[in-house]
Amino acid sequence: MRRRLIDAGRLGSALTTGLRGGSGQDRARRRRALLRFGALAAVLVLVLSAVAPVLAQVQDTNPYTTTDPKSPEGGMIQGLYRLIFWMSVVVFVFVQFLIVYTAMRFKRRRSQNTRPNQVHGHRTLEITWTVIPAIVLLIIAVPTISTIYSTYAASDDTKGAIVVEVYAKQWWWEFHYPGMGPVDAQGNATDLITANEVRVPEDQKVVFKLYSNNVIHSLWVPEMTGHMDVIPGHERRLAFTPQESGTYYGECAEFCGVAHAWMRFIVKVQPRADFDTWTAAMNQPPGPATAGFVPNGDVAQTPPSFGQCLLCHNITGTKAMAAQAGIAADPTSNNAGPNLTLLACRDTLAAGLLENTPENLALWLLNPGLVKEGNYMHALDTGIKNQGEDGALTPETVTALVAYLESLKPDAGCPENGTANGNMNTDALADNAAAVSTPVPATPVATPVGGTPLATGGSATSVALEGGDLFFNPTTLTVAQGGTIALTNSGQLPHNFVIEGYSDAAPVDMPNGQTVDWTIPADLAPGTYTFYCAVPGHRALMNGSITITPPQ
Ligand code: CUA
């Protein structure tokens, strides 16, 4: 059987002498081959031009697109992408041309019955196809290296930039705006802290300082700039200047554990005035309209079960400020969960997993381990369990918590939330909710069930005092000498009961799940005292006032 062979020697000479030369018959044959090739190329161009608008549409609705940057830094990277893309197109077309041309030009003719001349190698060709790729790589390398250096230089220079410290957690993001938080008791400006949703002003350079105290993560906002690894023990930086108001998705781009895929966040780019309104609102205590809030922002009035939440979640402007933040926080998220200030004004829950609706918040609180597998709120011993597990919240409690959390916003309403920019992929969020959906309780009621005093006023001989996780209920007691206080620990942590100036050194233990009766001793003189829990760290949140009256 005869085989069709390409004569490498003839290919080489044809390529080096071009399409000129040869007999008239040869030239006619070559012309026919070129015509056929031209037709093929035309079809290819037609197909590409038909696909292009479709691709453009996909790009418009894809929140993770890298080909439509909204910052000059993203633009530089896009410039590299374009350069490499078009060079690839040229190489592709050139190589395809050579393949098709060679196949047509050097196929066996009917008249040829002899075996073609067998050759090995062709020096000119081999030098050519070594030198061309080297030049191609050089053309790519020069702008790539200069882009790398200029983006690094941009992140080193914080002049005129808004600096945001970003702490990558498992599996969510904490954002600190240094010095932009409320002024503390010593007159020093604190950090404004938020989670999973970072706001920045339009047309101002942003420098993210990236930190981790757990594992390696990688911060990526595809529409802004490239990604940057977040490495424990190092400060990494990323700079970009957002040029268009809108909502942009960010995510973790480095596998960092069970819930890595659900480590998302939102970047809200807003006009300066809207950004300033937001920072002001973040520093205000929640207004009186906030369910269960008394004017001094006393979280003791929140649903009792919220006491458990206060271990890990802070709310600026309230007494819920016990949780740890930043690099010093517990790496395993023990006592260190996302800051919940203005939670009601956020777009998403659970680090970009669910749209922030009362139904989804209830879903999240009822089954945190099912909604976001691996998350510490469910994994910790003191965490919230799924329905059916020990430590699950009851639907009634969840209803109260949802009402409370969804009321965490200014009385005048949320600060301008910004345009969705066509990028908030609510369909995807709805799909997430559907995927993890379990029976959800009825629409939350407006008032929390907790906070109802168990005993009020009078000169009672027997009163009840509930001590839960980081709250006492009620916080005002009146009891006569010789009367008893039934101390119940309804929480999961150990607590105790102390009367300031009387029993500081001898707390009455309140074992979990038990009720202990404590009789008011005769040597505790009538008067009003402060009572508190003496377990380290609890006093700030667990305290109240007790009035002792003469014996009845
Ligand atoms: Cu953090 Cu992946």
Side-chain angles (χ1 to χ4, degrees):
M1 195 179 106
R2 290 208 183 88
R3 294 164 62 202
R4 292 181 180 190
L5 288 175
I6 287 176
D7 182 333
R10 285 177 66 196
L11 167 63
S13 34
L15 287 174
T16 43
T17 56
L19 291 168
R20 298 178 310 278
S23 67
Q25 208 185 5
D26 277 351
R27 275 202 295 275
R29 220 169 32 231
R30 268 178 245 149
R31 221 173 294 126
R32 275 201 304 280
L34 274 177
L35 269 174
R36 259 175 283 168
F37 179 66
L40 241 163
V43 169
L44 193 71
V45 167
L46 271 173
V47 169
L48 278 176
S49 54
V51 168
V54 178
L55 287 178
Q57 215 164 15
V58 168
Q59 174 181 302
D60 275 353
T61 54
N62 182 1
Y64 288 104
T65 182
T66 56
T67 57
D68 186 21
K70 298 287 194 289
S71 78
E73 294 79 5
M76 284 196 290
I77 296 171
Q78 172 68 358
L80 291 177
Y81 175 75
R82 276 180 207 277
L83 174 75
I84 294 169
F85 176 81
W86 286 114
M87 287 177 73
S88 308
V89 167
V90 170
V91 169
F92 176 80
V93 170
F94 179 62
V95 169
Q96 296 309 307
F97 170 79
L98 285 187
I99 291 172
V100 173
Y101 171 78
T102 321
M104 289 176 171
R105 172 74 181 75
F106 301 106
K107 69 181 180 187
R108 185 182 69 85
R109 307 295 159 202
R110 288 193 192 288
S111 55
Q112 288 174 324
N113 288 318
T114 51
R115 193 172 163 82
N117 184 24
Q118 301 296 298
V119 290
H120 290 284
H122 187 284
R123 181 168 298 169
T124 316
L125 270 183
E126 281 170 13
I127 291 174
T128 308
W129 64 50
T130 305
V131 169
I132 290 178
I135 294 172
V136 166
L137 290 181
L138 202 68
I139 295 174
I140 292 173
V142 172
T144 301
I145 292 169
S146 88
T147 301
I148 289 172
Y149 277 92
S150 69
T151 50
Y152 274 142
S155 67
D156 274 343
D157 178 15
T158 56
K159 197 155 52 75
I162 176 160
V163 175
V164 183
E165 293 174 1
V166 183
Y167 296 88
K169 308 290 186 111
Q170 281 175 310
W171 291 269
W172 54 280
W173 302 87
E174 189 168 280
F175 299 98
H176 293 218
Y177 297 73
M180 290 174 69
V183 175
D184 67 10
Q186 285 76 45
N188 301 315
T190 58
D191 290 358
L192 187 162
I193 300 180
T194 187
N196 300 329
E197 205 172 287
V198 62
R199 298 201 186 201
V200 289
E202 192 182 17
D203 286 327
Q204 186 180 353
K205 184 164 128 181
V206 182
V207 174
F208 277 173
K209 293 184 175 179
L210 309 171
Y211 306 98
S212 167
N213 65 355
N214 42 85
V215 299
I216 298 175
H217 303 267
S218 182
L219 180 136
W220 192 26
V221 189
E223 287 174 284
M224 287 300 155
T225 184
H227 43 78
M228 177 64 73
D229 277 5
V230 190
I231 300 172
H234 291 264
E235 179 190 287
R236 309 301 298 283
R237 292 188 179 196
L238 198 61
F240 58 94
T241 310
Q243 290 174 309
E244 196 178 309
S245 284
T247 300
Y248 303 95
Y249 269 124
E251 63 175 20
C252 179
E254 175 85 34
F255 181 71
C256 55
V258 185
H260 154 73
W262 296 121
M263 189 169 164
R264 298 179 170 183
F265 64 101
I266 285 171
V267 179
K268 284 202 169 168
V269 178
Q270 297 187 299
R272 182 77 213 195
D274 288 346
F275 174 75
D276 291 340
T277 308
W278 175 75
T279 53
M282 282 294 288
N283 290 335
Q284 288 294 316
T290 296
F293 256 92
V294 291
N296 71 352
D298 192 339
V299 289
Q301 297 298 311
T302 59
S305 308
F306 193 68
Q308 197 177 345
C309 314
L310 300 185
L311 287 169
C312 302
H313 299 284
N314 288 344
I315 303 171
T316 306
T318 73
K319 287 182 180 173
M321 290 299 283
Q324 305 160 341
I327 206 78
D330 192 306
T332 61
S333 291
N334 224 331
N335 300 112
N339 185 299
L340 300 181
T341 311
L342 298 194
L343 178 81
C345 300
R346 292 188 197 160
D347 285 346
T348 64
L349 298 168
L353 171 52
L354 298 171
E355 194 178 356
N356 186 4
T357 63
E359 292 74 22
N360 284 341
L361 185 53
L363 176 66
W364 171 228
L365 292 172
L366 278 172
N367 286 296
L370 297 178
V371 170
K372 183 171 173 174
E373 205 175 330
N375 82 84
Y376 284 101
M377 183 162 78
H378 174 257
L380 292 174
D381 285 346
T382 52
I384 299 176
K385 300 300 171 186
N386 296 326
Q387 296 301 283
E389 296 173 348
D390 261 3
L393 298 175
T394 64
E396 293 72 28
T397 301
V398 166
T399 301
L401 285 176
V402 168
Y404 172 65
L405 292 169
E406 292 287 352
S407 73
L408 287 176
K409 58 183 172 193
D411 286 349
C414 287
E416 179 55 53
N417 248 342
T419 49
N421 212 25
N423 280 340
M424 266 301 293
N425 201 339
T426 43
D427 286 352
L429 293 174
D431 287 348
N432 294 341
V436 296
S437 195
T438 46
V440 171
T443 315
V445 295
T447 46
V449 292
T452 312
L454 298 174
T456 48
S459 182
T461 51
S462 180
V463 294
L465 179 63
E466 179 194 8
D469 289 336
L470 299 188
F471 69 92
F472 271 126
N473 178 32
T475 51
T476 331
L477 288 175
T478 300
V479 60
Q481 267 179 339
T484 56
I485 307 177
L487 299 163
T488 304
N489 182 345
S490 64
Q492 304 191 13
L493 303 169
H495 299 292
N496 57 39
F497 176 82
V498 168
I499 291 182
E500 190 180 38
Y502 177 78
S503 59
D504 302 80
V508 182
D509 282 332
M510 297 173 63
N512 302 74
Q514 292 181 35
T515 298
V516 175
D517 285 334
W518 186 64
T519 305
I520 307 296
D523 63 349
L524 181 55
T528 299
Y529 303 84
T530 293
F531 69 87
Y532 64 94
C533 171
V535 172
H538 289 199
R539 180 170 181 164
L541 297 167
M542 297 184 70
N543 58 68
S545 153
I546 181 167
T547 301
I548 308 292
T549 57
Q552 292 189 322

